[in-house]
Amino acid sequence: GKGRSKSRSRKDRDSEDSPRGDGDGDGDGSDEPKGVGGTAPDERADSADRPGMNRGLKNNGNTCFLNAVLQCLNHTGPLRDHIVSKLTGGGEVTRNLAFLLSEMNRQSQGITDPATFMSTLKEHLKKHKMDGLFDGNQQDSHELEVNLLAALEDEEPTGQVGGIADLLIGQTVSTIKCSECKNKRTVSDPSMHICVQIPKKSGCVTLEDCLQDFCKSEELKGGNKVECPNCQKKTEARKQIKVVCKQTVIIQLKR
């Protein structure tokens, strides 16, 4: 897909993380997993023994963007296990996805065909006028992932504890410090995703580099001055970002 999403598991992070590959397909007729998209450190040994960790997905015609998202879901233990637990009690999209993930983990070799799930998701998105994602053209994997998670949330009981929201919704916390009165204020923005730039640098760029760039301290001056409630005027300030997540964080690499 044109966009990339990485889902990662950890209780609390800002710029400290470990780099892993994502599940982008290569468009050659089958999409073999290119790396782990989101397993917590204490799950790595267990995940290495899971049959589905080495199983590919059939490319049904420019569907690498979908397969990349499915591989990320399958490699994210808490999210995968939550979805699979809905195999008999979830909504139509959830049940079909649970069945697909179960099939991916049933055998260690070969390819699983996601056609049935793709058809179910397409019908669901059609109701929201979003079925253009499956028009046979290349699409953005992040856009697909956002709509898929929204569909899964829609099918969950209202107020469910331990659901998609509990697993994924974290906060981007911005602390702004006025350069004149030194007053600090904090703004929290709840979100399922972190969208990070890939910084320009020589040599290899790691995921830590992207997160450090996202969380680095920023001077707000000139046209970027902000209103200080204490000084009651626009002043220069310093902004620091921290990311706090519950269990799993989805990181989109902007290119």
Side-chain angles (χ1 to χ4, degrees):
K2 293 183 286 183
R4 292 185 177 181
S5 293
K6 292 172 180 273
S7 44
R8 308 290 302 283
S9 299
R10 192 164 294 171
K11 292 290 183 183
D12 182 354
R13 81 184 64 205
D14 41 26
S15 62
E16 296 181 11
D17 210 323
S18 300
R20 289 193 193 99
D22 56 81
D24 271 340
D26 54 14
D28 61 356
S30 68
D31 295 323
E32 297 292 337
K34 297 295 189 291
V36 177
T39 306
D42 58 353
E43 292 176 347
R44 289 173 190 162
D46 175 63
S47 296
D49 297 329
R50 284 180 176 270
M53 296 301 101
N54 298 311
R55 193 164 177 82
L57 289 165
K58 181 180 179 182
N59 187 329
N60 288 296
N62 283 331
T63 57
C64 297
F65 70 100
L66 169 66
N67 292 353
V69 172
L70 292 174
Q71 291 289 7
C72 282
L73 288 178
N74 190 42
H75 285 74
T76 307
L79 188 55
R80 176 196 61 234
D81 294 344
H82 171 72
I83 294 170
V84 171
S85 72
K86 304 289 185 179
L87 186 59
T88 58
E92 189 173 10
V93 174
T94 304
R95 289 197 311 272
N96 276 271
L97 179 56
F99 180 78
L100 174 60
L101 293 177
S102 297
E103 287 297 303
M104 289 174 67
N105 287 279
R106 204 177 293 276
Q107 301 179 46
S108 60
Q109 300 295 326
I111 296 171
T112 300
D113 190 349
T116 300
F117 168 71
M118 186 171 69
S119 176
T120 300
L121 181 59
K122 181 177 179 179
E123 286 301 309
H124 176 86
L125 295 178
K126 188 175 182 180
K127 300 174 185 176
H128 301 277
K129 303 185 186 302
M130 292 294 296
D131 55 317
L133 282 169
F134 295 103
D135 61 1
N137 295 313
Q138 293 184 19
Q139 301 291 347
D140 186 87
S141 61
H142 178 64
E143 183 180 1
L144 184 280
E145 172 254 328
V146 168
N147 282 281
L148 172 56
L149 290 178
L152 296 177
E153 273 199 286
D154 286 345
E155 292 185 344
E156 290 191 330
T158 303
Q160 176 180 336
V161 177
I164 295 292
D166 283 337
L167 286 170
L168 292 177
I169 292 183
Q171 291 185 331
T172 301
V173 182
S174 301
T175 301
I176 302 173
K177 181 179 179 180
C178 175
S179 61
E180 294 188 16
C181 69
K182 310 304 179 184
N183 177 61
K184 290 183 180 180
R185 61 190 185 279
T186 301
V187 179
S188 298
D189 180 27
S191 177
M192 283 189 180
H193 309 88
I194 304 171
C195 298
V196 300
Q197 297 280 0
I198 300 178
K200 294 181 179 179
K201 58 174 288 187
S202 59
C204 177
V205 178
T206 66
L207 185 55
E208 282 98 336
D209 294 328
C210 298
L211 289 169
Q212 287 170 0
D213 183 70
F214 179 77
C215 295
K216 70 183 179 183
S217 179
E218 177 186 1
E219 283 190 77
L220 304 176
K221 55 185 179 180
N224 292 322
K225 288 182 179 180
V226 293
E227 191 74 29
C228 174
N230 194 44
C231 297
Q232 296 189 341
K233 65 176 182 177
K234 285 190 174 183
T235 63
E236 293 185 359
R238 182 167 292 276
K239 179 181 178 181
Q240 180 71 57
I241 294 177
K242 181 179 181 180
V243 175
V244 180
C245 59
K246 294 184 177 181
Q247 190 168 149
T248 302
V249 60
I250 300 174
I251 302 172
Q252 179 196 12
L253 303 180
K254 296 192 290 187
R255 303 185 290 182

